[in-house]
Amino acid sequence: RSDKWVFRIAPILTMVPAFIVFGLIPLGGDFNDGNQGIVEIFGHQTRLQLADPGAGVLVILAMSSIAVYGVMLAGWSSGSKYPLLGSVRAAAQMISYEAALGLSLLAVLLNSGSLSTNEIVSGQAGWNWNLWATGVVPFIVFFIAATAELNRPPFDLVEAEQELVGGFHTEYSSIRFALFFLAEFMNTVTMSAIIVTLFF
């Protein structure tokens, strides 16, 4: 009773957003004296960032929302009630903490005056961190919401092995199962990079 096409595409819908978001993170550069992170490599001036859209923070929020579809479709397409229950629980947790995640970003965006990740980092050159400028409360809210959205302890009750076998990925094996875990751990790295970009 599974939907084979959706079953195959769900791990990709979970993995791709994590990699897209990581492409928006400035990985380094010279941000002193208004250099905007531009460095010279082999005679070419460039930024150590794959892409810098003007609405970078909105793209980050959109990609984290798309990842919910991969989780929900994985449970639904399996054709079994246990993965479906696991996916509903996981999607509910991801969506509910996304609201707090977005609201805590408002303080950073208002302080920076830009949605571009590069300009947010440029505004924090030296010790002008958004952590101090916005007060510590938005950082704490963002950190807790990010931990919950990533299903890290103590918010790792989503899989609930004792009740739901293994959660939304119960019916998956081989490379598709590996893609779910690649997405999960890549999201952890990506969210850590986002926290540094926005607050430090």
Side-chain angles (χ1 to χ4, degrees), residues 15 18-20 22-23 150 181-192:
M15 180 194 65
F19 284 94
I20 289 175
F22 198 76
L150 294 171
F181 274 86
L182 174 65
E184 184 175 333
F185 291 111
M186 184 62 196
N187 275 326
T188 303
V189 171
T190 302
M191 193 59 76
S192 301

Side-chain angles (χ1 to χ4, degrees), residues 9-138:
I9 202 81
I12 296 168
L13 279 176
T14 307
M15 180 194 65
V16 168
F19 284 94
I20 289 175
V21 169
F22 198 76
L24 303 176
I25 305 297
L27 299 177
D30 182 13
F31 290 96
N32 296 322
D33 302 324
N35 287 334
Q36 299 289 321
I38 296 174
V39 295
E40 188 170 325
I41 300 175
F42 300 117
H44 295 283
Q45 290 190 338
T46 185
R47 290 182 177 158
L48 299 177
Q49 183 176 6
L50 189 60
D52 183 29
V57 175
L58 292 181
V59 174
I60 290 170
L61 290 174
M63 288 298 116
S64 68
S65 298
I66 288 174
V68 176
Y69 285 106
V71 169
M72 196 65 208
L73 290 175
W76 172 78
S77 67
S78 297
S80 173
K81 61 184 173 185
Y82 294 111
L84 179 61
L85 290 171
S87 67
V88 169
R89 184 181 280 188
Q93 180 168 324
M94 291 171 79
I95 291 170
S96 62
Y97 284 99
E98 216 166 279
L101 200 73
L103 287 174
S104 65
L105 282 177
L106 286 178
V108 172
L109 298 179
L110 289 172
N111 187 51
S112 300
S114 174
L115 292 168
S116 166
T117 53
N118 189 56
E119 288 183 25
I120 290 172
V121 173
S122 294
Q124 299 179 83
W127 289 93
N128 301 326
W129 291 350
N130 284 332
L131 177 69
W132 320 124
T134 60
V136 183
V137 175

